[in-house]
Amino acid sequence: MNAPPPLDDDAARRAGLPPGSRLQEVQLPSGLWIAAAEVPNARLQRLVAAVGVGYLDEPDDCRGLAHLLEHALFLGSTRYPEAGELAHWVGERGGRYNARTDDTVTDVHLHLPPDETDDGLARLVDMLARPRLVPESIAREVEVLDAEFRARLADPDLHRLAALGRLCREGHPARLCHAGNRKSLGDDATHLVSRLSDFHARHYRSGRMALAMLGPLPLAAQLELLARHGAALPIGDPSPLPRTWRWGEPGGVAWHSPQATPGTSALELLWPLPDELDASHSDWLSGVAARLADGRLAATLQAAVELDSFDVTLTPQGTGAALALRLAPAPDEEAVQTLLAACRTALERALVSPLATRPPAAIELDAWPRRCACRLAGSGSSSDRGNDGQAAPPKALLPWLATEQCRLLWQSPHAPGSWKRLTETGTVWQPQSLSEAELPLPWRAAPALPARTLRPSADEPDPHLLNQGVGFQLWAGDPLQLPGAPPAWFCLGWSASLAHQTARLAQWRQNALPLRQAAAANGLQLRCDGDVRGDWLIATGPAERLDALVELAVACWPETVTRPRDEAPKGLLAQRMLARLETLPPPGTPGKPNQQPLAWVYGDTDTQAAETLLRRLAASRRNDDTAHEVTAETHWLSAQADDHAVMLEIAGPDDTPQSRWLLQLLAQCHDAAFHQEMRQQRGLGYVAAVRYREAAGYPRLGYVVQSPGTGVDALRQAIGEFLAHQGEALARLDETAMANRKRALLAAAGPPETHTEALSRLWQALRRQPQADAWQPLPWEAESQALTSLHAGEITAMASAIAEGRLAQRWWLHDPSAAHP
């Protein structure tokens, strides 16, 4: 293997990898691209395989074929023929797996303990190279896809893609829905197997594929594993796919989801780009995007519209290469035209003066190998090509970013009866004009973050309590001293009422939107959040501007909620139910007593200013009521989709590491068997899963089933019978199985992989010990000790407690026929 030298540390950081990482991409003689990233602090090895073919490459008469093949990969392969075998194998090792079919690329990814990498790659490659395509299994999978399609009719993302197709050329596959269902795929399983075999043989070849890996294994070892297993993929260099420009003439489309939350609205502005220009000028384009998101445009727009969110991206979903802006809300046509005019003007400014020093790329270890594999499989270009670093606007690119090249996609809050309706998805839509009239807004400056003169801190580096004044605590120091840590940070938390917390947090983030963007443009990061213990923020970056950022963030926090917020539902109904486990107090939790304001600082932070802020918060929050009403044991959701869905929420007995580990072990023991019984044996629905979640350290399990035809009573009964008949038996582990499960959990949830994760975990551990006068041991060390001390009998006992109803529980129910039965 003739490999180029690995990229240096600066290149790795630009790619979004932690300091000390090493990265290398190689194209093998077979045409297969392989990419490896050695990240010393990573706990898991992430493996991704990508194929440069997607739903836009399907035959017109068999829409959904690429998606069906993605599903079929998991139905068994030559070396591992049993359907569900991969799920069982990955689950035993505490790993995760998933797959995705996009417009021009399909990918499969596994997350595993590092010592399982060799076996994991063998399984990943075999499923891609030699899937077992059996008519009976394919027929069942078509039914699964059909159920998934019907479930996704309640997801605005599906209707967005359908509306996006109205902006594409007549006759182009991008105009059609490619989710796949019984009607588009047909019911002749034998014929489908033939179509799948042909599609697989034509596209799943080394010249159109990529393997990427990220983890702690040495770079040379990763490359050797990838090359050795990659040699088992079918060799071939398929001819280039006949892809044509998908876009019609510049214009706009307004759309409305038939089941959208009333009043939900958003605006997307798209400037599509040819792939080759996007790849060759990515650095300059990133500077343009950063200028658009420097806080000035957000501040200007927010003065005209109560802007909740504003995102700028070069990778919008389902569009191919494009510069995209997404703004919400966009409540009416006047607001749409105002936003459009302001964004056009801002883009003209950004093209002339891109942000010279761009914010550092976010470190996303889960996302990096997928992005890398999809890029290599889709474009066949290495990351070190095409970035010429020029400061002047590229002449070839400017015509594509002219204001008149904009495509507009408006999610309207309502749909008049005169609008058109797409037959297959029910999406309501109408052409939307793009006014050329200028609607000037008074331009506002981004929030100012004045720099103060730094006085080097004399504080000792180890964490220590600076001041425990009346009603507050101030900590300083860093227990880790990790390389690549931000120069300073300021974590701040205070008590806050749980009543209307979701609406309050949404308003806080709205108020702080321009501030967060201005902070990012200055190399700082701000996170505003809250949970059952109160509201909190984490700010990181250069110390000279950090205190100003925190002061302004606290000033943005709303004492009272001026308008209620209902988040627009997204994703499958089961996913929305599981999200409740991360945001709401667990069942049976009493109201929490007031918690004194708490801060943790590091770096050359002005500790006197921090103490003054804490005193002010302590005075203002002294009489705050943080108690909350305990949700009823049965909670009915308002009608959001056409499916029935049920989730049983089980709360851990407490928020100790022991309870958290036991529930995670139970989720591993139960998930595959629950999925098999609910989906395969009982045929109840498309989604059947057991998931572990936390909210502020409080552990809970969710047993969730989503079904198109089975009523909620039958679903409740099925979950109860599973727990009664199998819950305890599945949790009986022998010594070897218990040791393997522990090892897998430690790999998945051991020491932090990045400083961002470390800071978050340390901060939450500090908040769980509000009265401590000495820094607690590192939480992951305490968690590791708790896991080591567990024995198999404790898991069985916990399963028995669940089956017998001795743990607090809550049912979440959804019936499409009634909001509140």
Side-chain angles (χ1 to χ4, degrees):
M1 180 173 58
N2 186 17
L7 299 183
D8 59 23
D9 196 52
D10 286 341
R13 279 198 294 267
R14 288 197 301 272
L17 296 175
S21 301
R22 301 174 69 216
L23 166 64
Q24 196 164 7
E25 298 174 357
V26 183
Q27 188 172 28
L28 302 179
S30 66
L32 175 72
W33 277 98
I34 60 173
E38 178 186 345
V39 179
N41 287 332
R43 296 187 298 267
L44 295 172
Q45 203 75 22
R46 280 91 165 166
L47 318 177
V48 179
V51 188
V53 62
Y55 58 74
L56 294 185
D57 305 307
E58 298 166 341
D60 290 342
D61 63 342
C62 203
R63 288 176 292 109
L65 191 68
H67 190 191
L68 179 60
L69 180 55
E70 173 220 305
H71 277 233
L73 297 175
F74 293 89
L75 299 178
S77 62
T78 301
R79 288 181 60 186
Y80 311 97
E82 295 299 320
E85 196 274 342
L86 180 71
H88 180 74
W89 183 83
V90 171
E92 281 188 332
R93 285 144 185 82
R96 304 198 305 273
Y97 71 94
N98 211 334
R100 182 168 178 167
T101 303
D102 278 338
D103 50 355
T104 59
V105 70
T106 301
D107 68 275
V108 182
H109 36 285
L110 306 179
H111 295 177
L112 295 167
D115 57 1
E116 302 288 355
T117 301
D118 199 349
D119 201 358
L121 266 176
R123 293 168 185 271
L124 179 62
V125 166
D126 200 59
M127 68 188 290
L128 287 164
R130 292 172 290 275
R132 291 184 72 240
L133 304 175
V134 180
E136 293 77 12
S137 299
I138 296 303
R140 287 194 297 269
E141 212 58 32
V142 170
E143 294 304 310
V144 170
L145 253 67
D146 191 68
E148 178 183 350
F149 171 71
R150 284 184 283 162
R152 288 189 63 201
L153 291 176
D155 185 356
D157 285 347
L158 177 71
H159 297 281
R160 173 191 171 273
L161 285 176
L164 194 64
R166 302 304 94 195
L167 291 171
C168 297
R169 294 188 298 105
E170 288 285 350
H172 196 281
R175 284 186 68 87
L176 304 173
C177 175
H178 291 266
N181 53 68
R182 191 185 300 114
K183 184 177 180 181
S184 70
L185 291 166
D187 55 8
D188 186 339
T190 302
H191 180 65
L192 270 178
V193 166
S194 176
R195 301 294 295 267
L196 287 168
S197 298
D198 290 344
F199 193 80
H200 179 270
R202 182 178 172 191
H203 298 295
Y204 279 55
R205 292 291 179 266
S206 56
R208 192 168 283 160
M209 301 177 78
L211 295 175
M213 181 190 300
L214 178 150
L217 295 179
L219 189 66
Q222 293 192 42
L223 291 170
E224 187 278 328
L225 284 167
L226 290 168
R228 174 159 52 86
H229 286 286
L233 290 167
I235 295 176
D237 189 11
S239 58
L241 290 167
R243 292 187 184 135
T244 56
W245 183 250
R246 73 181 73 181
W247 299 99
E249 292 299 315
V253 165
W255 65 278
H256 182 78
S257 172
Q259 295 173 316
T261 302
T264 301
S265 63
L267 176 67
E268 291 180 75
L269 305 176
L270 304 164
W271 279 267
L273 302 169
D275 289 336
E276 63 276 9
L277 291 180
D278 172 70
S280 60
H281 300 294
S282 58
D283 279 353
W284 184 82
L285 283 167
S286 295
V288 171
R291 175 61 73 193
L292 288 166
D294 66 0
R296 187 186 185 204
L297 178 57
T300 300
L301 296 176
Q302 201 170 65
V305 178
E306 290 187 336
L307 207 60
D308 292 337
S309 63
F310 172 37
D311 299 303
V312 184
T313 180
L314 295 169
T315 56
Q317 186 64 34
T319 69
L323 170 67
L325 289 71
R326 187 183 187 280
L327 313 96
D332 51 44
E333 290 200 35
E334 182 179 353
V336 167
Q337 298 303 334
T338 299
L339 296 171
L340 170 63
C343 289
R344 280 173 160 169
T345 302
L347 177 58
E348 291 175 340
R349 164 178 167 259
L351 295 176
V352 175
S353 59
L355 199 65
T357 304
R358 290 174 290 286
I363 297 175
E364 299 172 321
L365 299 189
D366 285 354
W368 182 88
R370 180 179 181 271
R371 285 199 303 262
C372 180
C374 290
R375 169 177 51 79
L376 292 173
S379 65
S381 62
S382 176
S383 61
D384 59 357
R385 295 187 198 168
N387 294 328
D388 54 17
Q390 67 185 73
K395 292 183 178 179
L397 200 54
L398 289 180
W400 299 95
L401 295 171
T403 55
E404 63 271 14
Q405 291 299 319
C406 176
R407 272 76 171 177
L408 180 151
L409 199 61
W410 175 35
Q411 182 183 4
S412 171
H414 57 83
S418 59
W419 284 20
K420 304 173 185 178
R421 184 181 294 271
L422 295 176
T423 303
E424 192 166 14
T425 62
T427 310
V428 184
W429 71 285
Q430 181 75 2
Q432 176 66 40
S433 63
L434 278 68
S435 172
E436 295 296 332
E438 292 190 8
L439 300 171
L441 292 174
W443 281 94
R444 298 187 175 231
L449 294 169
R452 65 175 174 85
T453 302
L454 290 180
R455 296 187 297 275
S457 174
D459 293 337
E460 53 189 286
D462 292 333
H464 55 285
L465 191 59
L466 276 179
N467 190 347
Q468 188 168 8
V470 178
F472 68 86
Q473 278 190 329
L474 176 59
W475 290 83
D478 178 9
L480 291 180
Q481 304 291 320
L482 287 178
W489 61 76
F490 196 138
C491 303
L492 179 64
W494 58 92
S495 64
S497 171
L498 287 170
H500 310 296
Q501 185 183 63
T502 300
R504 184 179 66 250
L505 291 176
Q507 189 168 330
W508 188 17
R509 293 173 185 134
Q510 179 201 40
N511 296 346
L513 173 61
L515 177 64
R516 292 200 308 273
Q517 291 193 348
N522 283 280
L524 300 109
Q525 298 293 324
L526 172 66
R527 178 183 175 188
C528 304
D529 216 326
D531 51 44
V532 296
R533 289 188 168 86
D535 291 357
W536 50 272
L537 64 82
I538 296 178
T540 62
E544 59 267 22
R545 301 184 193 275
L546 196 62
D547 301 320
L549 174 61
V550 173
E551 284 279 356
L552 290 173
V554 173
C556 290
W557 185 76
E559 287 282 350
T560 58
V561 178
T562 58
R563 63 185 178 100
R565 300 288 171 82
D566 289 322
E567 292 287 333
K570 289 186 177 180
L572 296 174
L573 185 56
Q575 293 170 327
R576 301 176 208 165
M577 284 183 158
L578 288 168
R580 306 276 181 140
L581 307 184
E582 299 180 70
T583 56
L584 296 180
T589 304
K592 290 291 169 185
N594 286 342
Q595 286 200 333
Q596 60 184 2
L598 174 68
W600 173 31
V601 299
Y602 175 75
D604 296 326
T605 307
D606 188 341
T607 54
Q608 290 185 343
E611 186 171 331
T612 300
L613 184 56
L614 283 166
R615 290 186 186 280
R616 192 165 72 240
L617 283 171
S620 66
R621 311 312 304 158
R622 187 170 294 129
N623 299 317
D624 183 57
D625 178 17
T626 60
H628 64 272
E629 296 182 7
V630 177
T631 307
E633 290 186 0
T634 300
H635 187 88
W636 288 90
L637 298 178
S638 58
Q640 302 173 26
D642 290 335
D643 283 0
H644 301 84
V646 167
M647 181 176 72
L648 174 60
E649 175 185 0
I650 303 290
D654 49 45
D655 60 348
T656 60
Q658 181 184 34
S659 289
R660 291 196 286 273
W661 286 129
L662 286 173
L663 289 196
Q664 288 182 71
L665 284 164
L666 269 180
Q668 287 186 9
C669 293
H670 285 177
D671 182 46
F674 183 78
H675 177 89
Q676 177 74 13
E677 177 170 333
M678 299 295 149
R679 181 166 155 179
Q680 303 296 336
Q681 296 177 16
R682 296 183 180 237
L684 292 181
Y686 160 64
V687 177
V690 184
R691 295 290 183 264
Y692 173 84
R693 296 288 189 268
E694 287 182 20
Y698 288 91
R700 71 282 301 275
L701 291 181
Y703 294 78
V704 63
V705 181
Q706 180 174 339
S707 175
T710 306
V712 293
D713 291 338
L715 295 177
R716 287 183 66 165
Q717 181 178 346
I719 294 174
E721 289 175 354
F722 171 84
L723 290 172
H725 298 157
Q726 295 195 61
E728 185 177 332
L730 290 166
R732 295 193 190 106
L733 302 178
D734 60 31
E735 239 178 85
T736 301
M738 184 67 177
N740 289 338
R741 298 273 186 185
K742 285 184 176 182
R743 180 174 54 86
L745 275 179
L746 283 173
E753 297 180 300
T754 65
H755 192 275
T756 299
E757 181 193 353
L759 182 59
S760 178
R761 290 172 68 176
L762 288 166
W763 170 236
Q764 296 306 334
L766 185 62
R767 294 178 69 233
R768 287 197 290 269
Q769 304 287 335
Q771 305 304 323
D773 56 6
W775 191 268
Q776 301 299 303
L778 296 176
W780 43 90
E781 292 180 355
E783 290 161 4
S784 174
Q785 293 171 5
L787 180 59
T788 302
S789 66
L790 286 182
H791 56 81
E794 292 174 281
I795 307 177
T796 309
M798 184 70 82
S800 297
I802 291 176
E804 295 167 8
R806 288 187 278 115
L807 295 185
Q809 65 180 39
R810 179 165 51 204
W811 287 97
W812 296 85
L813 310 176
H814 179 269
D815 186 330
S817 62
H820 303 286

